[in-house]
Amino acid sequence: MSEAAQQEQRTGRFIREPAKRVFAAEFREIAHQFREGTDEWSPTYSLLPTGERCSRVCIAGTLTDVQKSEGEALFYRARVVDPTGTFFLNVGSYQAEAMHQIEKLTPPLFVLVVGKPNLYASPDGRNLVSLRAEMIASVEKDVRDCWIIETAQRTLDRLDRPDDGDKIKALSLHPQEPAVWRKIVHAALNSMQI
Amino acid sequence: MEIEEIADRIIATFAEKGQTLDRDEVIGRLSRFIHEFGIPPNEAERSAMNDFAKRFDLESEFASISAAPSEQAEKVITPLASGVAHDIIHIEGTVMRLFDPRSPTVAQSGVLRDASAEMTFTIWADAKMPKVEAGSSYRFTDVEISEFNEKLSFKVSGRSTITPIEPTIPISTQEHGEAGPSVGDGSQKSDISRVADCTPEEWVSLEGIILKLFEPRSPSIAQSGIFADVSGEMGFTIWARANAPKVEEGSFYRFSNVVIDEYNNRLSFKVHSGSSLLPLEGNDTPALPRTSIGDATSGLVSIEGKIISIANPQSQSLAQVGVIADESGGIRFSLFQGDNITPLEDNNWYKIEYASVSEYKGSLSLRLSSYTKITKIEEDRALVPAITPIHELRQGVFSIRGKVIQEWEPNHERLLQSGLLGDETGTIRFTIWKDDNMGRLESDMVYKIFYTNVSIFNDQFSITLNGSTYLPEEGATISVPSQETMVEGVLVNVIQGSGLIKRCPVEGCGKALSRQNLCFEHDIQSTWEYDLRIRAWLDDGMETWEITLPAEVVTKLTGISITSAKETAENNPLGPDAVLYEITDMLQGRYFECTGMLIDKRLFASECHVRSYDPQKQAELLNRCDVNE
């Protein structure tokens, strides 16, 4: 049963958290996760450097690599590349649907992935961000192109939004000039003119 | 050519391990990555290396190219006292002091204290951190402990983060005013303010009642609690140094020259040595004109109303709860154990003076306390319930007139029925839980629902009919305006009850049968009608909608009809699941624009199209980036 279905059974009526659109260059800079509410089901949010919280993201790009890991528990690691960088995917047995989907995929392929950001510290103290995939779909190039346009728009929307609590917090953690993000968005859009 | 250079580099690497690669194959693979998929050359090289390593079983030799870093434990906060030189740790504490920076390479330095110890710190200018402030608390991550002259300190560098947090160490409470035994005699009756009109740092005089007293949390506080007047309620603190007489719960006082204070956007007042307070009794208690229940706001009120219903209190501290109403509306009331109030009787009218209205979770309720004057009204007055238009509903107790415009499939075993009621102004969801006294509402019938509790569920108003009175209005009609709406986004998740489904054959039912062919209303069925539908979540990155695609729409999008789906289900070992997997693979992860009836975040689609790449939008966004090339 999907997570959505389980939650639906629990609460009667459930509104799904939207999956924020984010480029790899911004995703890998996530440095802050937090929870609001002490409720067992309150989601963990990640703060996007452009100033918005997300509990889920939707990404697209080229699946370049899939590796199966058979240790104590079976899981997959994969890489998805968008015009701005690389997403690191983890697919474990808790995401049965995504696991079933990734087993069938041979790179290179265009994929669209929905999942949850996962932030952890490497032994040398750096932040690492991976994506715990919930759904992976092998898609047409047109879908990837739609996603680049939509993600460009959502990223600019975040940059152009008035400052609120999340944005002020993000600015304190990510002192980059907004112009840096604009350049990344611009380059991503331009990458499609081939 | 870059591709050839990369190919040669890969071939050379494998040659060192004694493996030979075909140059054309390597180039072909790289150019597919780079040209067809637009992958940067370094990523293409990494991916090709990895594939060939797998082929020759050399993966362990290339540990550095693993797909993704492995997951590590979450950040653990280390107490300062257990910091060891050269450790990189995460800490939380309060900045006690800041020093003048002694070098331009230092942005700030000072002393941080947590529950375990104090430590000096240095924030390098290169780290470009936001400034910290003395007296504020922060979380520092990835800071390095260093040792100098046998003293430990920590350094904040570019890879560290600093996050403001809630105070970790209580900062001593500040007191207003000066010490002195002077308690005013309260004789100078200055102008009395209203709680609702107070502004921070204002000096005011207030008249009202002490609703509640708290345990003082510090020796500098004599008493604290909640105070109310006609306009609202407010917290208060009486400083020990004010040497004021003790106040009592349920008694009226005049507070003169108190100071309004603001903390966390909430106002309270402080009674200091320059303030005075005077008990009010008898004719001195503030007069309260009768308030219509529909107009009641936080604060003290006097009302006259009829007891509409009495319910079992869910908490042991409550003696009685129920709903009281007049012609303007209804409100929930509660009586607490220990207040020794004679319980109110159903269907009787009462005059209730000096009760307090307060807001809890967005909904108003009326509390009757030991100081409340309750008089039974013997004459029987008529009560015509005030009907509230649906779009004017708030949280609280209201009467509604609406038509059942939609019923939803029950998704909980205790649920008897849920759906939507609508009037000319809007719609609201309703729920009926299974209960011996409860029956289902009929589709398209208009109902009057009296004194039902409107609450918020998933950001939407909703009513639960259990415990309310409702009557059908035979023959009445209401036209509920509806309009088609378009939503667009990625179909991110196909949910249960999708694909080839069976519907109950009972006339007028048509509910989806469970896997065991069970109809929710008509038990197990041996025959059924097949149908094809998809229920899924559509997500545009800001909002999500639960969409339902009927058979015609599914067929248009996928080419799969009810007939072909039945064939697949009959000829495939997976049965109907084979149809669901096929459709899911075609739809999931794609962009759609769906048009249909949108109610309460659910869309019943009449049309659905695949969205495609839009070069004009791309051009607009390139301009919006405002980047000079």
Side-chain angles (χ1 to χ4, degrees), chain B residues 192-462:
Chain B
I192 304 296
S193 303
R194 288 153 41 94
V195 161
D197 302 333
C198 289
T199 53
E201 290 176 41
E202 199 184 358
W203 288 59
V204 294
S205 298
L206 297 165
E207 274 184 6
I209 191 166
I210 305 298
L211 292 183
K212 197 163 174 46
L213 286 171
F214 302 134
E215 285 288 308
R217 50 187 200 288
S218 143
S220 62
I221 294 172
Q223 284 186 294
S224 70
I226 297 178
F227 167 89
D229 72 4
V230 192
S231 70
E233 51 184 66
M234 195 187 258
F236 70 91
T237 301
I238 302 176
W239 297 120
R241 287 159 104 182
N243 282 337
K246 289 270 181 220
V247 295
E248 283 172 24
E249 265 183 22
S251 296
F252 287 87
Y253 297 91
R254 177 184 309 138
F255 291 92
S256 303
N257 294 322
V258 297
V259 186
I260 305 293
D261 190 26
E262 185 181 10
Y263 181 68
N264 277 344
N265 290 324
R266 290 184 83 100
L267 296 182
S268 63
F269 68 82
K270 310 286 190 229
V271 180
H272 53 89
S273 55
S275 312
S276 62
L277 69 88
L278 180 73
L280 300 175
E281 274 161 31
N283 290 338
D284 282 342
T285 50
L288 286 182
R290 179 182 161 189
T291 305
S292 295
I293 291 177
D295 301 335
T297 52
S298 292
L300 289 179
V301 293
S302 291
I303 57 153
E304 287 176 25
K306 181 180 180 178
I307 306 300
I308 297 299
S309 64
I310 284 172
N312 290 328
Q314 300 201 329
S315 154
Q316 296 209 331
S317 58
L318 290 167
Q320 190 181 36
V321 295
V323 172
I324 184 165
D326 65 12
E327 303 228 340
S328 67
I331 191 167
R332 294 216 282 185
F333 70 86
S334 52
L335 275 57
F336 280 74
Q337 296 282 8
D339 281 348
N340 295 322
I341 307 170
T342 318
L344 305 183
E345 290 164 32
D346 208 358
N347 279 319
N348 277 312
W349 280 81
Y350 288 92
K351 181 175 186 178
I352 296 170
E353 295 168 278
Y354 303 112
S356 67
V357 174
S358 57
E359 195 180 313
Y360 179 65
K361 289 189 174 169
S363 179
L364 293 175
S365 67
L366 181 75
R367 178 179 171 176
L368 280 53
S369 307
S370 46
Y371 54 82
T372 305
K373 219 169 112 190
I374 301 168
T375 322
K376 192 165 162 183
I377 298 171
E378 295 300 340
E379 61 171 318
D380 188 26
R381 302 181 186 173
L383 177 63
V384 180
I387 300 284
T388 306
I390 287 178
H391 86 120
E392 285 175 22
L393 292 174
R394 308 177 300 277
Q395 290 182 80
V397 175
F398 294 94
S399 300
I400 301 169
R401 179 174 180 265
K403 182 165 83 172
V404 179
I405 57 166
Q406 219 175 86
E407 286 182 76
W408 298 325
E409 279 175 32
N411 48 15
H412 193 288
E413 56 180 23
R414 282 185 47 229
L415 197 60
L416 179 64
Q417 190 183 24
S418 71
L420 276 184
L421 284 172
D423 68 6
E424 293 83 351
T425 69
T427 59
I428 188 166
R429 37 177 298 149
F430 72 89
T431 303
I432 305 175
W433 298 101
K434 284 184 181 170
D435 172 338
D436 291 343
N437 305 317
M438 302 302 292
R440 298 170 61 87
L441 302 188
E442 272 176 56
S443 202
D444 281 332
M445 177 70 80
V446 174
Y447 287 86
K448 270 188 184 159
I449 299 157
F450 301 111
Y451 304 110
T452 186
N453 190 43
V454 178
S455 57
I456 287 191
F457 184 67
N458 278 338
D459 298 332
Q460 307 269 347
F461 287 121
S462 96

Side-chain angles (χ1 to χ4, degrees), chain A residues 12-13 16 19 21 64-67 79 88 118 120 125 127 140 150 153-154 157 160 169 189, chain B residues 43 46-47 50 54 67 70-71 75 142 163 411 458 539-540 544 590-591 600 602 617-618 624:
Chain A
R13 174 93 167 104
R16 190 181 158 99
R21 314 308 199 238
T64 60
D65 197 9
V66 177
Q67 280 184 31
R79 295 168 73 106
F88 300 105
N118 189 29
Y120 48 96
N127 276 337
E140 304 71 34
E150 188 187 41
Q153 185 185 348
R154 295 286 183 232
D157 287 350
D160 294 343
K169 171 94 191 167
L189 287 165
Chain B
E43 179 67 21
R46 204 205 53 79
S47 179
N50 198 47
K54 260 186 217 167
S70 63
E71 302 195 9
K75 292 203 154 94
D142 300 305
T163 320
N411 48 15
N458 278 338
D539 177 332
D540 76 348
T544 57
R590 274 45 166 219
Y591 283 87
D600 198 14
R602 297 173 200 242
K617 188 109 188 243
Q618 184 184 4
R624 200 181 145 193

